Amino acid sequence: VSVLYWPRGRPMTTYTTNIRGAPSHDAAATDADPDRPEDLGVAGDWGNDAKLGFMRFLTRFVMDGQYIYVDMLRANLAANLNFIEVYVEHVKQFSEALGAAVCERPTRVLPAMEEGAAQLARELNLYTLLSTHQDIQVQLQWSTEPVKIRALALESVAKLVTVSGIVVKTSAT
């Protein structure tokens, strides 16, 4: 059991598990390597493991006796808002392996998480009858300190980082 504080200062208590459902103090969880897909759960398929793990997270993460992410998904889709805001800290609390994969390999894991959210919405019949767009965007909220743009190093490339400022120009190279 661990205690994490919600951004508004309310404490929440959860049971931390890895993606396989074992306690996080289990040897399998502490030896997990986000570079090895088999450490994410089901038989070494990045997309499938992240999708199933995220679906499990959405349906099983409880705070103050409420399934906050299923309720948020239901409310957003009822209002025809096809996104869900997820706190990275909650994902890490639920599954250290999935949390590490989100931070270390966001370009591989985020599309699978979005596919999992859309599949869950279809399975639970959360889409409205008038809904024409059945993709769901996963928006990550992260309470980490921003890194200065000039302080970014090679090891930060392709990883999830927080920077402060405004993007004024991008290029394809």
Side-chain angles (χ1 to χ4, degrees), residues 31-164:
D31 294 338
D33 180 1
D35 289 329
R36 292 185 1 207
E38 61 272 14
D39 285 342
L40 282 178
V42 188
D45 178 7
W46 273 97
N48 193 45
D49 292 348
K51 180 174 89 170
L52 293 175
F54 189 64
M55 289 172 66
R56 229 176 277 139
F57 165 75
L58 290 176
T59 56
R60 295 183 185 170
F61 188 83
V62 178
M63 188 173 73
D64 294 333
Q66 294 182 334
Y67 294 92
I68 60 171
Y69 289 110
V70 171
D71 293 345
M72 182 189 306
L73 186 60
R74 181 179 288 117
N76 284 359
L77 292 176
N80 217 14
L81 301 171
N82 290 27
F83 71 90
I84 184 167
E85 292 180 352
V86 176
Y87 283 90
V88 174
E89 290 84 2
H90 292 170
V91 176
K92 287 180 178 180
Q93 240 188 328
F94 183 79
S95 166
E96 291 177 17
L98 184 59
V102 168
C103 295
E104 298 295 320
R105 302 281 184 260
T107 56
R108 290 184 182 180
V109 175
L110 270 173
M113 291 170 65
E114 291 176 343
E115 184 181 328
Q119 180 178 333
L120 181 65
R122 282 190 298 276
E123 289 176 4
L124 298 177
N125 294 320
L126 298 181
Y127 288 109
T128 62
L129 293 174
L130 301 174
S131 180
T132 57
H133 187 64
Q134 294 198 350
D135 291 333
I136 297 176
Q137 181 185 33
V138 174
Q139 298 178 357
L140 297 176
Q141 302 292 324
W142 201 13
S143 61
T144 187
E145 290 295 318
V147 177
K148 295 184 189 257
I149 276 279
R150 295 191 187 272
L152 288 177
L154 183 61
E155 60 269 1
S156 301
V157 174
K159 294 186 181 177
L160 192 61
V161 295
T162 302
V163 294
S164 61

